[in-house]
Amino acid sequence: MFGAFASAAEVTLPPNTGTVDNFGNTNTHKTHGNFQNNTNACANCHSTHNGENEMLVMKSSEYELCMSCHDGTMGFYDVTKASEAGVIGSHEMSASMHSVDSDLAVSAAPGALVNKSTATFECSSCHNPHGSANDRLLNEKVAGKQYGSNYNVTIVGYAETITKLNPVPIGTKAIKLNLVEDPAYADINNATDLSGLKIYKSSGIYNKTTDAPGLTQAQVYDYKLNYSEFCASCHDDYLKNRENGPRADGVHYTHTTNSTKQGRSCTACHYAHGTDITLLRDTAGKTIGDLQKSVADGGKGWTDAQARSYMKDVSKNGSSALKRFTNMAVCWACHQSTHQIANTPGTTNYPNTTDYKNYLVPGGDYSGKSIIK
C-alpha cells in the first residue's frame, strides 16, 4: 500500500489498483498479500521482461527494492525511523543494525550452532513479501526451520517448566504482536471508502492477557515463546533457560531467552532492526531527547553534546549490539531494586518514594505494588 494522505476525504487507493475486489466490495488492496483475482500488485516489485535479477525484481538488490518504499517515500512503515522494531540505515553514534544490505551469510549470526544456512541475510530472511499468517509479515520458516510450536507452561514460584507440545502448521499464526491503530494515520483508519484498511503501530510481543483481550494465557505464552524461537532459528545457541544448564558447548551459560516471565525474551534487551544513540536508554528509561528536556518537564536540561556523551556506547568496537539500553545498563535496568521485573534475581521492593514514575522501565512488571497509585 502506498503513501499517506492529508485527510480522510483524500484517502483513495493507488491509481493502478482496481477499486472492486473478488466479492464486488471495495478493494482493500495490499502490496504484500491479500492479492485479488484482478491484482496489479505484482508490478509494484516485479518487471515481467526487464527485471534486474533472476527474480525479475525492479531493483538490483533486495535491500534496494524494499527501501524504495520503506525509506519513508512510499510505504506507510518507514524503517529508517524509530519504532518498536528499532531502526535500519542509521549513521548516528552507537549505531548497529542487522546487516541486510551486505553479503553476510545467515549462518554468520552470533550464536549460530545448528544454523548452517548458506543463504545471504536479507530482509526476506525475516519477512515474507508475499504475505504471512504472522503479524508484520514475519516468516513462518526461518533458516529452513519451522519454529512455531504450542507449549505447556507451568510456573511455581520462581521455577518455570516449559514443554514443547507440537509444531504449528504453516499458515497458522505463530507470532501475534500488540498492534494498535496508529494515530498518525487516523484519517486513513477512519476512512469509509477503504473498507478494512488499517495502519497499525506495534508495542512488541504480548506479555499477559491484560494486554491481549480475547487471548488465553496459553496463547500469550505460545506467541511469546515463538518470538524467541523465531530469533533462535539463526541464533540457535542463545535459546536457553540458564537454570537448565549451559549452552551446547557444555561450558558457557547464556541469559534466559525462552521464558514466559515478564521481560524475558530476546526483544526485552534488543531491537529487531537495530538501534543508535537516539534510541538507546539509560536504566531510568531516559533517551538523549528526554535528558535535554527541562527539569520541569522531567529532564535534566542538558545540551545535546552532554546527553550524547552520557548515552554513547563505550564498548571496544563502539557497536551497541542492537541493545535497547546503553552499555550494561541493559542489565541494571532489570537487576536492581527500583526496576523490578517479575521474578528477576537481585530485585527486592520499590523504594518508599513519591517520584516512583522516574523509576519505571519499559517491560517492567509493576502490578500489585502498593506504591503504584
Side-chain angles (χ1 to χ4, degrees):
M1 189 65 193
F2 295 100
F5 303 88
S7 68
E10 298 173 357
V11 176
T12 56
L13 288 162
N16 66 338
T17 302
T19 57
V20 175
D21 68 11
N22 299 342
F23 305 100
N25 301 318
T26 300
N27 190 2
T28 57
H29 168 81
K30 293 181 179 178
T31 298
H32 303 292
N34 195 38
F35 303 133
Q36 302 296 309
N37 292 340
N38 62 345
T39 187
N40 197 38
C42 306
N44 293 329
C45 299
H46 300 276
S47 176
T48 309
H49 299 297
N50 297 298
E52 294 288 336
N53 61 23
E54 69 277 9
M55 301 305 293
L56 300 179
V57 296
M58 298 174 66
K59 298 292 182 180
S60 59
S61 70
E62 181 176 307
Y63 177 76
E64 186 181 0
L65 177 68
C66 297
M67 293 301 286
S68 65
C69 285
H70 292 289
D71 61 354
T73 56
M74 299 184 75
F76 286 118
Y77 302 112
D78 181 358
V79 298
T80 67
K81 291 185 177 180
S83 71
E84 176 58 28
V87 64
I88 283 180
S90 173
H91 297 286
E92 288 272 3
M93 186 189 300
S94 301
S96 65
M97 279 141 280
H98 268 120
S99 300
V100 290
D101 59 342
S102 68
D103 294 326
L104 188 72
V106 172
S107 59
L113 183 69
V114 178
N115 167 25
K116 303 296 183 184
S117 174
T118 59
T120 299
F121 184 66
E122 300 178 288
C123 301
S124 61
S125 299
C126 295
H127 300 278
N128 187 341
H130 294 139
S132 168
N134 294 322
D135 291 339
R136 290 293 192 254
L137 301 177
L138 294 176
N139 281 330
E140 296 165 61
K141 293 180 69 174
V142 178
K145 176 185 177 181
Q146 186 176 334
Y147 61 87
S149 297
N150 293 312
Y151 302 85
N152 181 65
V153 179
T154 303
I155 301 176
V156 179
Y158 182 63
E160 178 181 40
T161 303
I162 300 172
T163 305
K164 186 177 291 187
L165 299 178
N166 55 280
V168 174
I170 295 295
T172 304
K173 189 184 292 290
I175 297 177
K176 183 177 177 62
L177 301 176
N178 191 357
L179 303 176
V180 296
E181 291 184 19
D182 192 335
Y185 297 102
D187 289 335
I188 293 175
N189 289 333
N190 295 330
T192 58
D193 59 339
L194 290 177
S195 60
L197 176 63
K198 300 290 183 183
I199 310 302
Y200 295 97
K201 62 185 302 184
S202 171
S203 60
I205 195 71
Y206 284 113
N207 283 313
K208 44 187 178 291
T209 53
T210 53
D211 299 329
L215 295 183
T216 65
Q217 190 61 61
Q219 288 175 312
V220 173
Y221 286 163
D222 287 349
Y223 293 138
K224 187 168 185 178
L225 291 168
N226 282 330
Y227 202 23
S228 286
E229 289 274 359
F230 176 88
C231 300
S233 296
C234 295
H235 307 275
D236 51 90
D237 200 24
Y238 288 167
L239 182 68
K240 188 71 174 177
N241 190 318
R242 60 188 172 77
E243 291 94 340
N244 293 336
R247 288 164 45 188
D249 63 8
V251 177
H252 297 100
Y253 286 78
T254 187
H255 198 287
T256 299
T257 53
N258 59 340
S259 173
T260 64
K261 297 172 185 176
Q262 180 80 19
R264 306 286 182 79
S265 65
C266 304
T267 54
C269 297
H270 302 277
Y271 283 110
H273 285 169
T275 191
D276 62 26
I277 199 165
T278 66
L279 285 176
L280 287 170
R281 297 174 179 269
D282 67 5
T283 192
K286 303 292 186 182
T287 65
I288 59 171
D290 294 327
L291 296 169
Q292 293 176 69
K293 293 178 181 178
S294 67
V295 175
D297 291 331
K300 294 181 179 290
W302 285 357
T303 65
D304 180 67
Q306 281 178 300
R308 287 173 179 270
S309 294
Y310 167 81
M311 196 67 70
K312 69 180 179 181
D313 190 278
V314 295
S315 59
K316 184 176 180 181
N317 60 7
S319 169
S320 55
L322 284 71
K323 294 199 298 278
R324 290 177 177 268
F325 298 86
T326 191
N327 299 304
M328 299 316 291
V330 74
C331 304
W332 192 233
C334 295
H335 294 278
Q336 62 168 303
S337 60
T338 55
H339 302 169
Q340 189 174 17
I341 284 180
N343 296 324
T344 298
T347 61
T348 54
N349 296 311
Y350 298 110
N352 185 17
T353 176
T354 58
D355 62 347
Y356 69 90
K357 290 184 179 179
N358 293 332
Y359 298 99
L360 306 188
V361 169
D365 182 0
Y366 304 101
S367 60
K369 306 302 180 185
S370 60
I371 195 170
I372 306 301
K373 305 300 182 182

